[in-house]
Amino acid sequence: TDDIEGKVIDFSDKRPKNIDIINVMSYFIGDILQSPSRFSAIKINGERAYNLARSGVEFEIKKRPIKIFDLKLLQNNEQFADFEVSCSKGTYIRSLARDLGVSLGVGAYLKALCRTRIGTYSLKDAKEVADLVEEIKSRPNENLSPTR
């Protein structure tokens, strides 16, 4: 599945060094073609790919053009590597992790993902739900019922 929820299908004791990761990362910067995960929500003949994959159906997902604007290695240790990615819409980060692992000869999957920005919306400007509820409650007697 290219993420932590999937079944481990192979294992490597090899841990790539920072320099090896950085060298491989350079091949992913810019316009590239990416193969989305077989466990993605992409529709294949009207059916979600993840349903087909879980049912054992064989199918192909065509590569799609994406753009990686920036890719930074933040941390690399015996357990995992952390990256920061700036990318175009349509990019599958699970697939990027998988492809980096394949290129390094060690395999890889996505353990965690935190979106820090989508378009003009940024995580640093986000509000907690509880704060939004309080903000709405504090507004002067607005009619919040749906418009008909």
Side-chain angles (χ1 to χ4, degrees):
T1 62
D2 301 330
D3 63 18
I4 196 166
E5 294 180 15
K7 177 183 167 190
V8 175
I9 57 174
D10 201 2
F11 183 82
S12 173
D13 287 328
K14 180 182 168 192
R15 288 298 304 164
K17 294 180 172 43
N18 287 7
I19 191 67
D20 299 325
I21 296 172
I22 291 166
N23 286 337
V24 165
M25 285 175 15
S26 65
Y27 295 107
F28 291 88
I29 305 292
D31 295 308
I32 63 172
L33 290 175
Q34 184 184 62
S35 295
S37 171
R38 294 177 50 78
F39 290 86
S40 68
I42 291 172
K43 287 193 175 181
I44 307 293
N45 298 323
E47 186 69 39
R48 298 282 182 195
Y50 56 78
N51 287 332
L52 295 171
R54 288 185 181 119
S55 299
V57 174
E58 285 300 317
F59 62 95
E60 183 181 330
I61 298 178
K62 293 180 183 173
K63 290 185 176 189
R64 296 163 177 247
I66 62 157
K67 185 165 191 166
I68 303 294
F69 302 108
D70 196 22
L71 181 57
K72 294 178 187 163
L73 175 64
L74 303 178
Q75 179 181 347
N76 178 35
N77 61 40
E78 301 80 31
Q79 300 287 317
F80 60 87
D82 265 346
F83 298 89
E84 183 175 286
V85 182
S86 177
C87 58
S88 66
K89 69 178 185 174
T91 302
Y92 286 84
I93 302 301
R94 287 185 299 159
S95 298
L96 180 61
R98 175 201 64 214
D99 295 344
L100 281 166
V102 168
S103 294
L104 288 161
V106 296
Y109 64 89
L110 187 68
K111 181 178 179 183
L113 174 68
C114 177
R115 292 180 192 263
T116 58
R117 186 171 61 93
I118 298 174
T120 59
Y121 298 101
S122 174
L123 184 60
K124 68 181 180 197
D125 299 324
K127 295 184 179 185
E128 296 286 335
V129 172
D131 295 337
L132 288 173
V133 169
E134 287 304 313
E135 186 179 314
I136 290 169
K137 285 181 180 178
S138 68
R139 290 181 183 165
N141 250 349
E142 292 180 17
N143 182 358
L144 298 177
S145 63
T147 307
R148 296 180 194 239

